[in-house]
Amino acid sequence: MKWQRSWHVSGTHQACGNIVAEVCQAIESHGHAEVVVFAVRLALEEALANAIRHGHQGDESMQLGVEAAVDAECIDLIVCDEGRGFDPHCVPDPTRDENLMIASGRGLALMRAFMSDVHIDPPGNRIVMRYDIHSPPPQAEGGHTTV
Amino acid sequence: MAGSSHIRSRTSDGIIEAELLDQHILDEVVIREIGQSLTDLVDAGGDSVDVVVDFSQVAHLSSSALGMLITLNSRVQERGGRLMLTHISEPIGEVFRITRLDRVLEIHDTVVDARAELRGDS
């Protein structure tokens, strides 16, 4: 049976924490492996943190929209913010030698590494992610992906 | 033994050991507090410049936590010390490998291993 929920909340860390907890509980209740819970928790946390930090620039009066759907095979997530968006092609690759010591900029790379599919709709304030157990990200199969 | 609500620390043989007490290091406020507590330990360390951070209790961390560790690593190195991370779980180890931070941060299985490396035993 598919579990679905949507939220429209203030962009606060507290609200985001509650959403992440509820989604992870739904994933566990569908019997998914720990590696799946870890991956989705990480990706959702990063998407929400980016929305608050970069999209809303910390303005807690701005609203986040989150949709989640969980069944036995897939976890689908959508995170929307009220920011101006960004061009994902302009985000520097954090794994390049010259960027390794930079303290930020790894969120999108982690989302891509830990989810089966990630795309960002123009203008860049809506991110759509899927974890498909039939098409898991390379790291979930024990491989070492690069981003 | 000293600490905050997020870390428990002690210094022995010139090495600062800090155990992270949170299972989830995801919240930005918590990460800032952990970073500040660790920085305070380093700055107050006197001749103790090497730091071992124990991740035994940590199940999840975010990219912001990675950033905090990079900043801490720079601070320790500025003082002529080395930062070592221990008891990293397999999924978190994967986060370090994916981001290639395993090339920048020293990771050891246990605190004992880290201490041995710092003493030059290994």
Side-chain angles (χ1 to χ4, degrees):
Chain A
M1 181 175 294
K2 179 174 273 195
W3 174 91
Q4 292 183 88
R5 265 217 67 178
S6 62
W7 298 263
H8 201 66
V9 296
S10 299
T12 65
H13 293 292
Q14 179 65 49
C16 292
N18 294 339
I19 292 170
V20 172
E22 199 170 334
V23 171
C24 288
Q25 192 171 29
I27 297 168
E28 288 170 352
S29 71
H30 278 76
H32 288 292
E34 264 185 51
V35 66
V36 179
V37 181
F38 182 91
V40 175
R41 180 193 292 272
L42 181 67
L44 183 54
E45 284 277 358
E46 295 295 342
L48 292 168
N50 278 352
I52 292 172
R53 190 187 314 129
H54 302 299
H56 294 175
Q57 302 194 336
D59 182 348
E60 294 186 351
S61 70
M62 298 176 89
Q63 298 283 299
L64 282 174
V66 182
E67 297 175 38
V70 179
D71 64 22
E73 297 181 342
C74 286
I75 296 102
D76 290 299
L77 303 168
I78 300 173
V79 175
C80 303
D81 65 59
E82 293 188 315
R84 291 191 301 179
F86 72 107
D87 180 353
H89 298 103
C90 293
V91 178
D93 179 354
T95 65
R96 291 180 65 91
D97 286 347
E98 63 269 28
N99 296 332
L100 286 178
M101 297 305 290
I102 298 174
S104 60
R106 293 178 176 82
L108 182 57
L110 287 173
M111 287 182 248
R112 285 179 167 146
F114 278 87
M115 296 296 280
S116 305
D117 185 51
V118 174
H119 66 267
I120 297 165
D121 293 337
N125 61 354
R126 183 176 189 270
I127 185 162
V128 182
M129 303 187 283
R130 163 169 281 203
Y131 193 107
D132 181 346
I133 63 167
H134 300 298
S135 179
Q139 60 76 27
E141 298 177 310
H144 293 171
T145 187
T146 54
V147 288
Chain B
M1 189 77 72
S4 68
S5 59
H6 302 297
I7 64 171
R8 180 165 47 224
S9 65
R10 67 179 190 136
T11 301
S12 69
D13 299 331
I15 298 170
I16 300 166
E17 285 180 25
E19 180 185 9
L20 302 177
L21 302 178
D22 292 275
Q23 187 180 8
H24 306 297
I25 304 184
L26 302 164
D27 186 287
E28 304 269 344
V29 175
V30 170
I31 292 166
R32 271 200 298 275
E33 288 175 358
I34 292 172
Q36 189 59 57
S37 295
L38 291 170
T39 301
D40 289 346
L41 281 172
V42 172
D43 291 348
D47 292 336
S48 301
V49 292
D50 296 316
V51 181
V52 178
V53 181
D54 181 343
F55 279 73
S56 297
Q57 310 289 333
V58 181
H60 297 273
L61 53 67
S62 68
S63 63
S64 292
L66 299 178
M68 177 267 289
L69 291 171
I70 291 169
T71 302
L72 179 68
N73 189 48
S74 299
R75 185 72 157 233
V76 172
Q77 289 181 342
E78 282 168 12
R79 291 176 54 89
R82 293 165 74 183
L83 171 67
M84 296 190 175
L85 315 181
T86 68
H87 295 96
I88 301 288
S89 69
E90 182 53 37
I92 292 178
E94 190 64 21
V95 170
F96 283 105
R97 283 188 287 275
I98 285 168
T99 54
R100 294 185 68 227
L101 290 179
D102 57 338
R103 312 281 182 95
V104 174
L105 301 168
E106 292 191 63
I107 298 173
H108 295 274
D109 288 344
T110 66
V111 174
V112 172
D113 292 340
R115 282 185 162 277
E117 171 70 21
L118 288 168
R119 285 196 308 264
D121 292 352
S122 55

